[in-house]
């Protein structure tokens, strides 16, 4: 009887295993389909946002923006840009509360019954009668930003009026390393593929000018080499020093190290001035 019971248990386990494996495959397929559907919902063009906060500060998370007849949520954080957002009339309006949920409350609906991420606003006729609330933040997108761009947001004392800088992604390909100088000091970037700077290469990076924005003169790009190559670098400023009664300009590094060339994503390094100190803030941007 003992052997018969054991045989029955093994038979039940073997019968259950294919069902369990099929269920796991079904779950994985469902998750893959959901991820693919979410990717298809995101636009191929538009603006991605990322925060650089050398002096602290942040934006409310999440924020809400209009996409067609829906309001979607977005989290704007540091290092990794957000999903793409298409401007409407050359600007993007962010709300710190979901306008669709507020409209539902005004109409006596239950917000909990609506999806949080893609809650629909009131119908067009109702939306015209009930105007949208005042946006928390409105970002004007310049024509020079291109069809794909990254907006660097730097918080100020007024959280509703941060500084914004646009990078045209056609000029910042998703490969290699880029340096953007947003400081008032000229920089020199030194690179060495040997690692000991016996093959040193010097490249100047000009100062940032507000009326010109991010240009080739105040940025630097390293897109040569192969995937996985390591390159030593130094970021330097010129400082006047007195030697034997004479003033001379000396290159003084404020940041040094190594970076690895990647063909799948770019590392965008933003140099900002905080007080009398230069800071380097890195952003990882993939396609």
């Amino acid at each position: 009887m003992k052997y018969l019971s054991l045989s029955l248990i093994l038979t039940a386990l073997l019968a259950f295993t294919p069902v369990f494996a099929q269920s796991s495959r079904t779950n994985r397929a469902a998750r893959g389909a959901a991820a693919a559907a979410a990717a298809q919902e995101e636009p191929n063009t538009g603006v991605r946002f990322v925060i650089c906060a050398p002096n602290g500060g942040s934006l409310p998370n999440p924020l809400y923006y209009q996409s067609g007849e829906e309001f979607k949520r977005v989290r704007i954080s540091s290092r990794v840009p957000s999903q793409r957002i298409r401007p409407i009339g050359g600007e993007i309006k962010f709300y710190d509360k979901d306008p669709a949920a507020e409209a539902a409350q005004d109409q006596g609906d239950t917000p909990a019954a609506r999806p949080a991420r893609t809650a629909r606003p009131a119908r067009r006729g109702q939306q015209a009668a009930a105007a949208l609330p005042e946006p928390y933040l409105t970002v004007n997108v310049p024509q020079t930003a291109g069809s794909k761009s990254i907006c660097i947001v730097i918080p100020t004392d007024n959280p509703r009026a941060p500084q914004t800088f646009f990078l045209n992604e056609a000029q910042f390909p998703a490969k290699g390393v880029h340096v953007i100088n947003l400081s008032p000091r000229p920089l020199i970037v030194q690179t060495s593929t040997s690692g000991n700077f016996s093959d040193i290469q010097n490249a100047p990076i000009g100062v940032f000018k507000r009326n010109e924005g991010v240009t080739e003169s105040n940025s630097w790009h390293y897109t040569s080499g192969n995937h996985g190559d390591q390159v030593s670098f130094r970021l330097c400023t010129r400082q006047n020093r007195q030697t034997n009664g004479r003033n001379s300009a000396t290159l003084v590094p404020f940041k040094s190290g190594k970076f690895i060339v990647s063909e799948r994503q770019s590392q965008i390094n933003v140099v900002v001035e905080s007080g009398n100190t230069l800071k380097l803030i890195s952003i990882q941007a993939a396609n």
Side-chain angles (χ1 to χ4, degrees):
M1 179 65 68
K2 181 172 67 173
Y3 294 106
L4 179 60
S5 300
L6 180 60
S7 176
L8 290 174
I9 292 172
L10 290 174
T11 302
L13 286 173
L14 290 173
F16 175 73
T17 300
V19 176
F20 177 77
Q22 182 178 1
S23 175
S24 299
R25 288 194 295 269
T26 303
N27 290 337
R28 286 197 298 269
R31 289 195 298 267
Q40 289 178 356
E41 287 180 1
E42 294 187 6
N44 294 324
T45 60
V47 184
R48 295 189 287 174
F49 290 84
V50 65
I51 282 184
C52 290
N55 300 314
S58 62
L59 291 174
N61 272 319
L63 288 169
Y64 298 86
Y65 66 95
Q66 190 165 0
S67 175
E69 294 186 0
E70 298 177 336
F71 286 97
K72 295 184 178 181
R73 67 171 63 185
V74 61
R75 292 186 178 274
I76 302 177
S77 57
S78 61
R79 292 192 63 81
V80 180
S82 68
Q83 69 261 33
R84 294 194 187 278
I85 302 174
R86 283 180 177 166
I88 300 175
E91 61 184 16
I92 298 173
K93 294 181 179 180
F94 293 103
Y95 303 87
D96 56 349
K97 296 180 180 178
D98 186 355
E102 292 187 349
Q105 287 179 345
D106 292 341
Q107 295 166 20
D109 295 342
T110 304
R114 296 170 174 257
R117 184 175 183 272
T118 58
R120 290 183 177 274
R123 292 190 181 93
R124 291 182 180 179
Q126 296 170 338
Q127 190 174 356
L132 289 172
E134 188 73 19
Y136 179 88
L137 170 65
T138 299
V139 176
N140 294 311
V141 182
Q143 293 183 349
T144 55
S147 61
K148 295 181 180 180
S149 61
I150 295 175
C151 179
I152 298 175
V153 181
I154 299 182
T156 63
D157 293 337
N158 182 357
R160 292 177 178 262
Q163 292 181 309
T164 55
F165 306 91
F166 285 84
L167 312 181
N168 188 333
E169 292 185 43
Q171 301 171 1
F172 290 82
K175 176 186 176 181
V177 177
H178 312 269
V179 177
I180 301 170
N181 186 13
L182 296 183
S183 80
R185 306 189 206 177
L187 307 176
I188 298 290
V189 57
Q190 299 178 330
T191 55
S192 169
T193 55
S194 67
N196 58 13
F197 290 93
S198 60
D199 56 343
I200 189 171
Q201 298 288 326
N202 293 284
I205 309 177
V207 300
F208 175 77
K209 298 178 181 178
R210 168 56 84 172
N211 61 337
E212 295 180 3
V214 178
T215 64
E216 288 295 321
S217 66
N218 57 29
S219 57
W220 172 82
H221 315 277
Y222 189 97
T223 56
S224 60
N226 299 315
H227 181 76
D229 286 352
Q230 291 192 20
V231 181
S232 298
F233 77 93
R234 295 177 188 145
L235 274 172
C236 310
T237 58
R238 294 187 184 276
Q239 293 185 6
N240 290 325
R241 293 184 176 179
Q242 193 171 38
T243 305
N244 298 326
R246 287 184 166 184
N247 289 328
S248 61
T250 304
L251 287 180
V252 179
F254 69 90
K255 189 70 176 180
S256 61
K258 291 183 178 181
F259 61 78
I260 300 176
V261 178
S262 173
E263 293 181 349
R264 294 187 288 269
Q265 69 175 7
S266 62
Q267 179 178 322
I268 302 174
N269 301 281
V270 182
V271 178
V272 294
E273 188 176 51
S274 177
N276 293 322
T277 305
L278 292 178
K279 290 186 176 182
L280 189 70
I281 302 174
S282 294
I283 302 168
Q284 302 293 335
N287 274 329

